[in-house]
Amino acid sequence: MALLSYVVAYLGILTFGAVVASKCIGYLKKPVHLRWELYPVAHEDARRASYGGSYMEDSGWWLKKRRPSRRGGIKAVAVEFSTLHSTFRNNRPLWYRAYPFHLGLYLLTITMCLAVGVSVLASPGGLDGSAGRFVGRLGQTLALTAFLCILAGASGLLHRRLTVPDLKAFSTPEHFFNLGLFLGLSVLGLILWLAMPSFFGSLCLFLGALLTFGFISQGNALFDLFIIFLFALMAYVPATHMGHFFMKYFLWHDIRWDDQPARDNPETQRKISVALGRPVSWSGGHVEGGGARSWAEVVTGRPAMPQKREGATP
Amino acid sequence: MTRQPGLRDVCTREGRLVDVEADALIRLPVAFDAVGRESVSDEGRDGCSRILDDVQVLRIPRPATRQEEEELVRRFLDGMRKLFSPDDNWTFLSILETSMDYCAQCNSCAGACHLFEASGGNGMYRPNLRSEIFRRIYKRYIAKVPFAKWRYGDVELNWKTVVRLGEMAYRCNLCRRCAQVCPIGVDNGLIAREIRKLFSQEMGISPPELHDNGSMRQLGPDASARNNARSVQDRVEQICAEYSALTGYEFHAPWDVQGADILLAHSVLEIMYWPESIAAFAIIFQKAGLSWTLSSELAHHDATNFGTFYDDAQFARTALLHMQIAKRLGVGKMVLGECGHMSKALSVAADRLLPRELDIPRESCIPILRDIIFSGKIAFDPSRNDIPVTLHDPCNVVRLMGVNRPQREILHYLCPQFREMTPHGVENYCCGGGSGFALMNRDNIGAWRNNLSGRKKMAQICGAFAECLGPETKKLVCTPCSSCKVQISDMLEKGGVRARNSMRCAGIVELIVNAMADVNPGFIPWLRK
Ligand code: SF4
Ligand code: SF4
C-alpha cells in the first residue's frame, strides 16, 4: 500500500501537469478569435476600470498610447480567486457554501506547499526547535481548517444541489460524484488528523521521501489511502469542469478582457490572415463555402441571390 | 404546458412546451395597456410548428415524415460539427469551447437575465437552459466524451429538441448581462448567437427580417439593395431645409466629400423615422466646423450590420462592404452614429476581420460629441432641457464597448434634471429590442417585445421617474441607439405610457441641439414650455 501511494502520487503529479499543459496548449493552438470583450475590463486604468470604461471613450483613441494596467488585471484576478467576489455579489446563498469549499482547497494547497518546504529545509529528523514547533503547529492548524472547510463546503453544496429545484435540475451525475470525492477526502483527512500524532509531520515525511525517491512507509494504511485519494483527485480535477481554476486565466484575460486592437499587434494581424485563409464548408446557400473556398474568398464576394429559404417571408 | 420546463421536457414534451402567463409577469408601477399577446394557434398558417411557446421567430416547417425528422436532426448535427471546427468557426471557436467545458451550473446567470426576471422566473428563459441542452448534445455527439450520457446527463436529440433550440436562441437579446455575472466566464449570450449561426449558416433558417429583408438586400446585387440612395439624399436635403427653418440656422448635410476627415455612418432607418437625428448631427458638426461627409453608397446599402445578430459570413461581408466604402471616399475616420450594434460591430467585432488597408479608424460618435460640447465652440442653455431626463444605456455601447462616461458628462451638463436608472452603465438591462428584435413585428413578436422582453426596462424607466410619473410632468428617456429608440418608443406608445404619463424617447444629439443657445428654441417641439 505504501509503495502504491508513492506510485499514485507520481502518476497524479504527472497527470495533473500533463492535463493542465494539454488544455492550455490546446487553447493556445486555437485560431485567433474575434474581439468579444465584456466591460469592465480590469486592465483599463483604475479610473476607467472602476466604472467599466474603455480606451474607446477617447475620440481618436488610436492616436493615443494605450497603457493596459497589468496591476489592475492581477488585482481583479487575485480578488476573485481569494474571495469568489462574483459569486458573493450575484449568488450569495451559493457563496456561503462555495466559499468555504474553495477556501478549504486553497488551505490544503498551502499546507502541502508548507510541507514540501519543511521537507526540503528541515533536518532529516523532522521539525526541531521552537521555529520547527511553530511551523508544525501551523501546518496542523492549516490542515484541520482545510478539511473542515472542505467538509462544510462540499456538504453544503451537495445539500443545495439536492434540495434547490433550480440547481437540482441542472446538476449532472458528475457534480454529485465530484462533491462526493471531496467529502470523502475531507472525512478521511479529519480521521487521520485526529488519529495520528501529527498528520502534518507525516505529510512532511511523505513529501520529503517523494521528492528524494525515498519511499519511506508511514506505517499507516489509512494515511496511504489518503495519499492515494489526494493524488488521484489531483489528476482527475483538471480534466473536469473544475479545470476552471486554471482555464479562468484564458476565459478572463484572453476572452473577457481581450480588448487589444489588431492595429497595435502584428502577431494578431498575422493570425488573422492565416484564419482568413481557412476553408469554409457551411452549407447555407448564401455562404457558398463548399469546403473549397476560403473565408477571405467567401466574405469578399457578395452572396448569390437565394433560392427560397426556410423561414423566409412567404 | 409548464412554467418550469426541465431539460428532458425540451426534448420529449408534445405540443407547446411552456406557457408564459400574463399574471406571472413582473408588475409595473404605471398602467401598461395589455399589449395584446394575439392568440396564435399551435400550428402556424404556414405549416410551421409552434412548439416552444406562443411566439414564433423562425419558421421551421414541421417535419411530415420520420425521414424528414431525421433529416432535420442530421443537418443540425452537421452544423454543430462545423461550429466546433477551427476552419468553419475560427471566429468564435475558443470562446464557444470554453463555454462548453467549464460551466459550473451555479445558476448565477439566471438572476441577471431581464427575460427570466420579467417572465416571473419562467424556466424557459433561464439563460443556461438552451446552453445546457446544447452542451449535452455537444459532449455526446460532437466531442464524444466517454460515458457522456452518465457523466453529463442525457438529452434526447430529436426534431423537437432541434426546433426548440432554434427558437430558444431567439428568446434572448444577446445582451450578455448573464456573461458579465458568470464567475467562470461562460457566455450564454454567445451560445445563443452560435445556435443562431448554426441555423443560418448550415440550415438556411433565420428570421426574414434579419436575412431576406436585412443582410441579403443589403449585400445583394445593386438592383435589390435596401435603399434608393437618391431618395435618401433627397429626404436628407428636405430634412435639412425643414430644420434650418425651425432652428433659424442654415445648415447642410454634405454627401460624398472625397477626403473628408469624418464619414458619419448613420442608419437609414433612423433617417426615415427619426429625421431630427440626422438634422441634429448636421447642425452640431457644422457648428463645430468639422470636415465631414455622408456617403450615398452607405445610404444605398445601409450602415446597419444585420449579420451581427445571426450570421458570421453576412456580418463579415457587411463590415468589409462598409469599410470599402470608407476607403473609396478616402476619409480620415468613420464616426459611428447613434446605433449600438453598428458601433460595436465595426469598432470591436470586425476589428479582427479587416485587412490592414481597410482598417480605417472607427469610433463611436459619443466621445466626439462630448469633446465638441466642452470645447466651448457652441453656446448652450441647459434650461431648455429642464425636464426629468433619464438615460438608457445600449448594451452594445456600454457593456460591449466600454463607452460609458462621455454620454453621462453630456447629459449631466445639458439636462438639469438628469437622473440615472438603477442599475445603469455596464450593469444596465437591455431595452428588449436587442439582437434584431426591434426590427420584428411579425405575428405577435412585437407584442412579445413590448410585453415581455422590454418589461424590465419599462420598470427601470418608471423607477427613474418615480416621483413624477403623472401626466403633468413631461419626461424623456434618452438613448444613443436607433434600435433602442424604436423599442422604447414602441413600448411607450403601445403601452399607452406616452400619452398617459407624458413620456417620450430621443437620442442624445436631439437634446444637444435642443439646448443650443443660438438656435431657435424648440428643436424637440414637444419639450417647448
Ligand atoms: S453560465 Fe456561469 S453563471 Fe451560469 S450556471 Fe454556468 S457557471 Fe454559473
Ligand atoms: S444574453 Fe441577455 S437576454 Fe440572453 S440569456 Fe443572457 S441575460 Fe438573458
Side-chain angles (χ1 to χ4, degrees):
Chain A
M1 189 83 151
L3 189 62
L4 183 66
S5 69
Y6 282 96
V7 173
V8 173
Y10 287 122
L11 285 177
I13 293 167
L14 287 176
T15 315
F16 176 86
V19 175
V20 171
S22 85
K23 296 238 168 191
C24 293
I25 292 167
Y27 180 87
L28 291 169
K29 278 169 82 176
K30 293 263 174 337
V32 61
H33 59 79
L34 297 193
R35 270 175 61 188
W36 199 243
E37 69 247 33
L38 200 53
Y39 290 85
V41 165
H43 61 232
E44 269 294 344
D45 70 57
R47 185 184 62 91
R48 281 199 169 127
S50 68
Y51 64 80
S54 76
Y55 59 86
M56 286 175 277
E57 289 189 329
D58 288 335
S59 179
W61 56 262
W62 54 92
L63 301 170
K64 298 178 181 157
K65 184 117 188 78
R66 285 181 59 237
R67 287 194 197 80
S69 152
R70 188 181 287 263
R71 225 176 109 200
I74 293 171
K75 192 176 149 206
V77 170
V79 169
E80 176 60 25
F81 265 83
S82 58
T83 64
L84 304 190
H85 182 249
S86 183
T87 311
F88 179 78
R89 250 193 109 190
N90 303 303
N91 197 343
R92 195 69 57 88
L94 193 75
W95 184 85
Y96 289 127
R97 282 100 176 154
Y99 188 66
F101 179 71
H102 284 79
L103 184 66
L105 294 177
Y106 300 156
L107 292 176
L108 187 59
T109 310
I110 294 170
T111 310
M112 303 262 293
C113 293
L114 188 65
V116 169
V118 168
S119 61
V120 171
L121 298 175
S123 66
L127 298 160
D128 299 329
S130 59
R133 279 195 298 280
F134 171 75
V135 174
R137 273 202 294 272
L138 179 66
Q140 277 290 86
T141 314
L142 281 172
L144 177 66
T145 321
F147 293 136
L148 287 174
C149 283
I150 296 173
L151 181 67
S155 38
L157 287 171
L158 201 58
H159 177 255
R160 214 168 150 70
R161 284 208 179 275
L162 286 166
T163 54
V164 176
D166 292 352
L167 274 182
K168 192 175 170 186
F170 285 81
S171 299
T172 64
E174 193 170 287
H175 282 120
F176 295 113
F177 178 70
N178 294 348
L179 287 171
L181 289 180
F182 283 104
L183 266 182
L185 181 82
S186 58
V187 170
L188 201 52
L190 279 173
I191 294 171
L192 279 172
W193 195 92
L194 290 170
M196 296 179 91
S198 169
F199 169 80
F200 182 69
S202 300
L203 193 64
C204 293
L205 288 175
F206 174 82
L207 290 173
L210 191 74
L211 287 175
T212 55
F213 303 97
F215 307 119
I216 304 162
S217 169
Q218 305 300 311
N220 184 331
L222 209 56
F223 183 82
D224 296 338
L225 186 66
F226 172 82
I227 292 293
I228 291 170
F229 210 144
L230 180 69
F231 283 92
L233 201 56
M234 190 170 167
Y236 168 73
V237 162
T240 68
H241 80 271
M242 290 182 287
H244 63 238
F245 76 88
F246 63 95
M247 285 305 287
K248 212 161 167 172
Y249 174 82
F250 300 107
L251 280 149
W252 286 38
H253 282 270
D254 197 58
I255 296 173
R256 188 183 273 198
W257 297 342
D258 181 10
D259 61 347
Q260 192 180 51
R263 62 172 51 233
D264 293 352
N265 193 331
E267 180 54 15
T268 305
Q269 288 162 21
R270 188 192 62 75
K271 287 182 183 164
I272 295 169
S273 55
V274 171
L276 285 168
R278 288 176 177 273
V280 184
S281 67
W282 291 103
S283 309
H286 67 286
V287 184
E288 300 172 284
R293 297 168 77 215
S294 68
W295 273 99
E297 287 167 313
V298 164
V299 301
T300 46
R302 300 283 178 82
M305 285 321 274
Q307 62 289 25
K308 173 111 181 59
R309 275 165 64 104
E310 285 163 29
T313 315
Chain B
M1 277 185 277
T2 168
R3 287 201 71 237
Q4 299 301 341
L7 290 152
R8 276 188 62 76
D9 293 330
V10 176
C11 318
T12 54
R13 239 175 223 263
E14 292 299 328
R16 211 184 272 184
L17 178 69
V18 287
D19 185 20
V20 184
E21 309 103 343
D23 54 6
L25 306 183
I26 52 167
R27 301 224 173 275
L28 295 173
V30 289
F32 192 66
D33 290 341
V35 189
R37 302 282 298 272
E38 300 102 70
S39 137
V40 187
S41 67
D42 284 358
E43 283 302 316
R45 291 179 298 277
D46 39 22
C48 300
S49 36
R50 197 170 267 108
I51 61 169
L52 182 66
D53 54 4
D54 63 345
V55 185
Q56 188 176 42
V57 176
L58 296 176
R59 287 185 165 139
I60 310 176
R62 188 185 187 107
T65 62
R66 184 143 194 111
Q67 237 174 359
E68 281 182 20
E69 288 178 9
E70 284 165 4
E71 176 62 9
L72 192 68
V73 173
R74 186 193 61 73
R75 286 165 67 205
F76 174 83
L77 272 181
D78 280 350
M80 200 163 179
R81 242 170 251 124
K82 290 174 193 173
L83 273 188
F84 291 93
S85 134
D87 288 334
D88 283 307
N89 198 24
W90 64 268
T91 44
F92 288 101
L93 177 66
S94 48
I95 315 182
L96 178 63
E97 256 191 27
T98 43
S99 283
M100 286 294 105
D101 289 343
Y102 297 105
C103 173
Q105 305 297 348
C106 69
N107 224 350
S108 305
C109 44
C113 178
H114 59 288
L115 291 165
F116 183 70
E117 186 181 340
S119 67
N122 189 293
M124 193 265 288
Y125 287 107
R126 197 179 290 285
N128 195 26
L129 179 68
R130 78 180 83 78
S131 305
E132 183 56 13
I133 292 169
F134 191 74
R135 186 175 287 120
R136 290 185 183 189
I137 297 171
Y138 161 73
K139 297 276 186 197
R140 187 157 165 209
Y141 296 93
I142 308 296
K144 297 195 166 60
V145 178
F147 312 111
K149 190 171 158 182
W150 290 279
R151 285 178 67 182
Y152 307 114
D154 195 17
V155 286
E156 202 178 300
L157 180 56
N158 55 37
W159 76 273
K160 289 194 284 269
T161 319
V162 172
V163 170
R164 284 176 178 148
L165 257 184
E167 270 299 320
M168 278 200 276
Y170 287 91
R171 296 298 179 279
C172 166
N173 287 118
L174 309 186
C175 73
R176 298 177 66 209
R177 197 171 191 272
C178 51
Q180 194 182 43
V181 305
C182 175
I184 311 290
V186 171
D187 193 334
N188 290 308
L190 174 98
I191 295 171
R193 187 175 178 276
E194 293 295 292
I195 299 172
R196 290 181 179 197
K197 268 168 56 180
L198 186 169
F199 274 78
S200 176
Q201 294 176 191
E202 181 67 15
M203 304 165 80
I205 298 171
S206 50
E209 294 85 351
L210 305 185
H211 188 79
D212 308 77
N213 302 329
S215 67
M216 285 308 277
R217 286 186 60 195
Q218 193 170 22
L219 295 166
D222 286 352
S224 69
R226 281 182 68 78
N227 313 298
N228 178 323
R230 188 62 255 168
S231 65
V232 177
Q233 274 177 271
D234 289 347
R235 177 71 187 122
V236 172
E237 268 167 38
Q238 196 188 355
I239 292 168
C240 291
E242 279 168 21
Y243 279 87
S244 289
L246 182 80
T247 56
Y249 175 69
E250 186 72 23
F251 67 95
H252 301 280
W255 286 91
D256 301 325
V257 181
Q258 202 69 32
D261 289 346
I262 294 172
L263 166 61
L264 176 68
H266 200 84
S267 123
V268 173
L269 175 94
E270 185 131 353
I271 291 173
M272 295 305 174
Y273 295 101
W274 304 84
E276 58 274 27
S277 175
I278 188 64
F281 267 109
I283 292 172
I284 298 166
F285 282 11
Q286 182 168 314
K287 271 200 169 276
L290 303 185
S291 148
W292 72 287
T293 187
L294 291 167
S295 156
S296 54
E297 231 190 318
L298 200 54
H300 181 58
H301 292 283
D302 206 347
T304 305
N305 191 328
F306 295 91
T308 319
F309 307 131
Y310 76 104
D311 189 300
D312 280 353
Q314 300 293 79
F315 161 70
R317 284 168 172 154
T318 312
L320 285 176
L321 174 74
H322 289 160
M323 295 320 297
Q324 281 158 349
I325 291 169
K327 173 86 180 164
R328 278 195 281 278
L329 271 176
V331 293
K333 66 179 172 186
M334 203 165 180
V335 169
L336 309 161
E338 292 192 333
C339 177
H341 82 271
M342 172 179 76
S343 303
K344 183 202 69 180
L346 275 183
S347 350
V348 174
D351 183 53
R352 294 191 183 153
L353 278 172
L354 301 173
R356 283 298 290 147
E357 67 276 13
L358 290 183
D359 193 2
I360 295 156
R362 306 159 305 279
E363 66 182 8
S364 155
C365 63
I366 306 173
I368 202 168
L369 290 170
R370 183 258 325 263
D371 292 353
I372 292 171
I373 286 164
F374 292 103
S375 68
K377 285 181 185 161
I378 302 173
F380 289 101
D381 173 8
S383 70
R384 292 185 181 185
N385 285 341
D386 194 10
I387 61 158
V389 173
T390 190
L391 173 69
H392 161 65
D393 285 301
C395 307
N396 282 307
V397 172
V398 289
R399 187 157 41 248
L400 313 185
M401 274 181 79
V403 176
N404 207 327
R405 206 30 93 74
Q407 56 271 46
R408 301 192 143 70
E409 291 171 13
I410 296 172
L411 293 176
H412 275 295
Y413 176 49
L414 294 182
C415 303
Q417 296 189 55
F418 173 66
R419 72 274 312 277
E420 293 279 14
M421 291 185 197
T422 309
H424 57 266
V426 284
E427 292 179 0
N428 77 317
Y429 284 99
C430 172
C431 63
S435 81
F437 278 107
L439 301 163
M440 296 186 205
N441 286 300
R442 185 172 22 106
D443 296 337
N444 58 358
I445 301 177
W448 175 81
R449 268 198 294 111
N450 290 333
N451 228 357
L452 203 149
S453 69
R455 201 170 188 87
K456 179 66 190 174
K457 181 53 59 180
M458 199 61 227
Q460 275 195 290
I461 293 172
C462 294
F465 296 133
E467 88 292 358
C468 55
L469 275 172
E472 58 290 347
T473 313
K474 291 176 178 175
K475 298 163 284 288
L476 196 129
V477 184
C478 171
T479 183
C481 171
S482 47
S483 294
C484 302
K485 271 199 295 195
V486 168
Q487 166 69 8
I488 293 173
S489 300
D490 204 35
M491 278 196 295
L492 297 180
E493 175 76 40
K494 303 246 172 71
V497 178
R498 176 184 154 115
R500 257 197 316 267
N501 302 81
S502 292
M503 216 187 276
R504 298 211 183 173
C505 181
I508 288 186
V509 280
E510 290 99 293
L511 278 167
I512 295 175
V513 177
N514 197 63
M516 280 185 184
D518 53 1
V519 303
N520 296 338
F523 180 80
I524 306 177
W526 178 73
L527 282 193
R528 233 188 174 137
K529 291 214 171 83

PDB file of all heavy atoms in Angstrom, chain B residues 320-336:
ATOM      1  N   LEU B 320     -16.952  44.456 -44.245  1.00  0.00           N
ATOM      2  CA  LEU B 320     -16.000  44.761 -45.315  1.00  0.00           C
ATOM      3  C   LEU B 320     -16.586  45.775 -46.295  1.00  0.00           C
ATOM      4  O   LEU B 320     -15.913  46.714 -46.721  1.00  0.00           O
ATOM      5  CB  LEU B 320     -15.622  43.481 -46.084  1.00  0.00           C
ATOM      6  CG  LEU B 320     -14.660  42.526 -45.368  1.00  0.00           C
ATOM      7  CD1 LEU B 320     -14.449  41.277 -46.197  1.00  0.00           C
ATOM      8  CD2 LEU B 320     -13.319  43.187 -45.102  1.00  0.00           C
ATOM      9  N   LEU B 321     -17.860  45.574 -46.619  1.00  0.00           N
ATOM     10  CA  LEU B 321     -18.530  46.499 -47.535  1.00  0.00           C
ATOM     11  C   LEU B 321     -18.465  47.930 -46.975  1.00  0.00           C
ATOM     12  O   LEU B 321     -18.125  48.882 -47.683  1.00  0.00           O
ATOM     13  CB  LEU B 321     -19.984  46.054 -47.707  1.00  0.00           C
ATOM     14  CG  LEU B 321     -20.902  46.966 -48.512  1.00  0.00           C
ATOM     15  CD1 LEU B 321     -20.580  46.849 -49.993  1.00  0.00           C
ATOM     16  CD2 LEU B 321     -22.367  46.605 -48.286  1.00  0.00           C
ATOM     17  N   HIS B 322     -18.771  48.060 -45.693  1.00  0.00           N
ATOM     18  CA  HIS B 322     -18.759  49.395 -45.081  1.00  0.00           C
ATOM     19  C   HIS B 322     -17.360  50.016 -45.128  1.00  0.00           C
ATOM     20  O   HIS B 322     -17.198  51.203 -45.433  1.00  0.00           O
ATOM     21  CB  HIS B 322     -19.230  49.302 -43.620  1.00  0.00           C
ATOM     22  CG  HIS B 322     -20.697  49.005 -43.498  1.00  0.00           C
ATOM     23  ND1 HIS B 322     -21.275  48.489 -42.361  1.00  0.00           N
ATOM     24  CD2 HIS B 322     -21.709  49.143 -44.388  1.00  0.00           C
ATOM     25  CE1 HIS B 322     -22.574  48.325 -42.553  1.00  0.00           C
ATOM     26  NE2 HIS B 322     -22.866  48.718 -43.773  1.00  0.00           N
ATOM     27  N   MET B 323     -16.375  49.186 -44.860  1.00  0.00           N
ATOM     28  CA  MET B 323     -15.024  49.740 -44.822  1.00  0.00           C
ATOM     29  C   MET B 323     -14.510  50.055 -46.223  1.00  0.00           C
ATOM     30  O   MET B 323     -13.736  50.991 -46.413  1.00  0.00           O
ATOM     31  CB  MET B 323     -14.078  48.783 -44.084  1.00  0.00           C
ATOM     32  CG  MET B 323     -14.402  48.605 -42.604  1.00  0.00           C
ATOM     33  SD  MET B 323     -14.901  50.106 -41.736  1.00  0.00           S
ATOM     34  CE  MET B 323     -13.447  51.112 -41.875  1.00  0.00           C
ATOM     35  N   GLN B 324     -14.958  49.271 -47.213  1.00  0.00           N
ATOM     36  CA  GLN B 324     -14.556  49.578 -48.594  1.00  0.00           C
ATOM     37  C   GLN B 324     -15.124  50.930 -49.016  1.00  0.00           C
ATOM     38  O   GLN B 324     -14.466  51.707 -49.714  1.00  0.00           O
ATOM     39  CB  GLN B 324     -15.046  48.480 -49.556  1.00  0.00           C
ATOM     40  CG  GLN B 324     -14.157  47.244 -49.515  1.00  0.00           C
ATOM     41  CD  GLN B 324     -14.863  45.987 -50.000  1.00  0.00           C
ATOM     42  OE1 GLN B 324     -16.080  45.978 -50.184  1.00  0.00           O
ATOM     43  NE2 GLN B 324     -14.101  44.923 -50.186  1.00  0.00           N
ATOM     44  N   ILE B 325     -16.338  51.208 -48.556  1.00  0.00           N
ATOM     45  CA  ILE B 325     -16.962  52.493 -48.889  1.00  0.00           C
ATOM     46  C   ILE B 325     -16.144  53.638 -48.269  1.00  0.00           C
ATOM     47  O   ILE B 325     -15.847  54.636 -48.928  1.00  0.00           O
ATOM     48  CB  ILE B 325     -18.429  52.509 -48.386  1.00  0.00           C
ATOM     49  CG1 ILE B 325     -19.267  51.528 -49.211  1.00  0.00           C
ATOM     50  CG2 ILE B 325     -19.009  53.908 -48.434  1.00  0.00           C
ATOM     51  CD1 ILE B 325     -20.655  51.252 -48.662  1.00  0.00           C
ATOM     52  N   ALA B 326     -15.749  53.447 -47.016  1.00  0.00           N
ATOM     53  CA  ALA B 326     -14.939  54.476 -46.348  1.00  0.00           C
ATOM     54  C   ALA B 326     -13.611  54.655 -47.082  1.00  0.00           C
ATOM     55  O   ALA B 326     -13.126  55.777 -47.268  1.00  0.00           O
ATOM     56  CB  ALA B 326     -14.699  54.084 -44.893  1.00  0.00           C
ATOM     57  N   LYS B 327     -13.041  53.552 -47.502  1.00  0.00           N
ATOM     58  CA  LYS B 327     -11.752  53.590 -48.198  1.00  0.00           C
ATOM     59  C   LYS B 327     -11.886  54.359 -49.516  1.00  0.00           C
ATOM     60  O   LYS B 327     -11.058  55.210 -49.842  1.00  0.00           O
ATOM     61  CB  LYS B 327     -11.321  52.141 -48.458  1.00  0.00           C
ATOM     62  CG  LYS B 327     -10.109  51.967 -49.293  1.00  0.00           C
ATOM     63  CD  LYS B 327      -8.873  52.027 -48.434  1.00  0.00           C
ATOM     64  CE  LYS B 327      -7.627  51.863 -49.278  1.00  0.00           C
ATOM     65  NZ  LYS B 327      -6.447  52.272 -48.577  1.00  0.00           N
ATOM     66  N   ARG B 328     -12.952  54.056 -50.258  1.00  0.00           N
ATOM     67  CA  ARG B 328     -13.145  54.723 -51.547  1.00  0.00           C
ATOM     68  C   ARG B 328     -13.278  56.232 -51.374  1.00  0.00           C
ATOM     69  O   ARG B 328     -12.845  57.008 -52.193  1.00  0.00           O
ATOM     70  CB  ARG B 328     -14.369  54.168 -52.269  1.00  0.00           C
ATOM     71  CG  ARG B 328     -14.085  52.861 -53.010  1.00  0.00           C
ATOM     72  CD  ARG B 328     -15.171  52.531 -54.002  1.00  0.00           C
ATOM     73  NE  ARG B 328     -16.343  51.958 -53.362  1.00  0.00           N
ATOM     74  CZ  ARG B 328     -16.472  50.679 -53.025  1.00  0.00           C
ATOM     75  NH1 ARG B 328     -15.496  49.834 -53.263  1.00  0.00           N
ATOM     76  NH2 ARG B 328     -17.580  50.233 -52.444  1.00  0.00           N
ATOM     77  N   LEU B 329     -13.900  56.647 -50.257  1.00  0.00           N
ATOM     78  CA  LEU B 329     -14.067  58.082 -50.028  1.00  0.00           C
ATOM     79  C   LEU B 329     -12.780  58.716 -49.492  1.00  0.00           C
ATOM     80  O   LEU B 329     -12.670  59.937 -49.416  1.00  0.00           O
ATOM     81  CB  LEU B 329     -15.208  58.313 -49.030  1.00  0.00           C
ATOM     82  CG  LEU B 329     -16.609  58.463 -49.618  1.00  0.00           C
ATOM     83  CD1 LEU B 329     -17.633  58.598 -48.504  1.00  0.00           C
ATOM     84  CD2 LEU B 329     -16.701  59.677 -50.540  1.00  0.00           C
ATOM     85  N   GLY B 330     -11.866  57.878 -49.061  1.00  0.00           N
ATOM     86  CA  GLY B 330     -10.581  58.396 -48.561  1.00  0.00           C
ATOM     87  C   GLY B 330     -10.717  59.226 -47.300  1.00  0.00           C
ATOM     88  O   GLY B 330      -9.980  60.196 -47.096  1.00  0.00           O
ATOM     89  N   VAL B 331     -11.670  58.860 -46.435  1.00  0.00           N
ATOM     90  CA  VAL B 331     -11.894  59.656 -45.221  1.00  0.00           C
ATOM     91  C   VAL B 331     -10.830  59.337 -44.163  1.00  0.00           C
ATOM     92  O   VAL B 331     -10.178  58.286 -44.220  1.00  0.00           O
ATOM     93  CB  VAL B 331     -13.297  59.382 -44.614  1.00  0.00           C
ATOM     94  CG1 VAL B 331     -14.381  59.885 -45.547  1.00  0.00           C
ATOM     95  CG2 VAL B 331     -13.487  57.902 -44.317  1.00  0.00           C
ATOM     96  N   GLY B 332     -10.691  60.250 -43.204  1.00  0.00           N
ATOM     97  CA  GLY B 332      -9.709  60.047 -42.137  1.00  0.00           C
ATOM     98  C   GLY B 332     -10.184  59.048 -41.112  1.00  0.00           C
ATOM     99  O   GLY B 332      -9.399  58.268 -40.562  1.00  0.00           O
ATOM    100  N   LYS B 333     -11.482  59.057 -40.829  1.00  0.00           N
ATOM    101  CA  LYS B 333     -12.037  58.106 -39.863  1.00  0.00           C
ATOM    102  C   LYS B 333     -13.531  57.972 -40.091  1.00  0.00           C
ATOM    103  O   LYS B 333     -14.155  58.811 -40.757  1.00  0.00           O
ATOM    104  CB  LYS B 333     -11.765  58.548 -38.429  1.00  0.00           C
ATOM    105  CG  LYS B 333     -12.463  59.827 -38.000  1.00  0.00           C
ATOM    106  CD  LYS B 333     -12.135  60.147 -36.554  1.00  0.00           C
ATOM    107  CE  LYS B 333     -12.662  61.521 -36.134  1.00  0.00           C
ATOM    108  NZ  LYS B 333     -12.247  61.906 -34.792  1.00  0.00           N
ATOM    109  N   MET B 334     -14.067  56.922 -39.509  1.00  0.00           N
ATOM    110  CA  MET B 334     -15.503  56.697 -39.598  1.00  0.00           C
ATOM    111  C   MET B 334     -16.078  56.967 -38.211  1.00  0.00           C
ATOM    112  O   MET B 334     -15.588  56.402 -37.217  1.00  0.00           O
ATOM    113  CB  MET B 334     -15.740  55.250 -39.983  1.00  0.00           C
ATOM    114  CG  MET B 334     -17.057  54.987 -40.631  1.00  0.00           C
ATOM    115  SD  MET B 334     -16.906  53.349 -41.382  1.00  0.00           S
ATOM    116  CE  MET B 334     -18.484  53.175 -42.101  1.00  0.00           C
ATOM    117  N   VAL B 335     -17.063  57.843 -38.135  1.00  0.00           N
ATOM    118  CA  VAL B 335     -17.722  58.090 -36.848  1.00  0.00           C
ATOM    119  C   VAL B 335     -19.074  57.385 -36.903  1.00  0.00           C
ATOM    120  O   VAL B 335     -19.870  57.603 -37.824  1.00  0.00           O
ATOM    121  CB  VAL B 335     -17.868  59.601 -36.581  1.00  0.00           C
ATOM    122  CG1 VAL B 335     -18.786  59.847 -35.388  1.00  0.00           C
ATOM    123  CG2 VAL B 335     -16.501  60.216 -36.321  1.00  0.00           C
ATOM    124  N   LEU B 336     -19.281  56.527 -35.929  1.00  0.00           N
ATOM    125  CA  LEU B 336     -20.472  55.679 -35.946  1.00  0.00           C
ATOM    126  C   LEU B 336     -21.596  56.365 -35.190  1.00  0.00           C
ATOM    127  O   LEU B 336     -21.453  56.680 -34.003  1.00  0.00           O
ATOM    128  CB  LEU B 336     -20.120  54.321 -35.334  1.00  0.00           C
ATOM    129  CG  LEU B 336     -18.856  53.725 -35.988  1.00  0.00           C
ATOM    130  CD1 LEU B 336     -18.230  52.664 -35.117  1.00  0.00           C
ATOM    131  CD2 LEU B 336     -19.168  53.187 -37.368  1.00  0.00           C
TER     132      LEU B 336
END
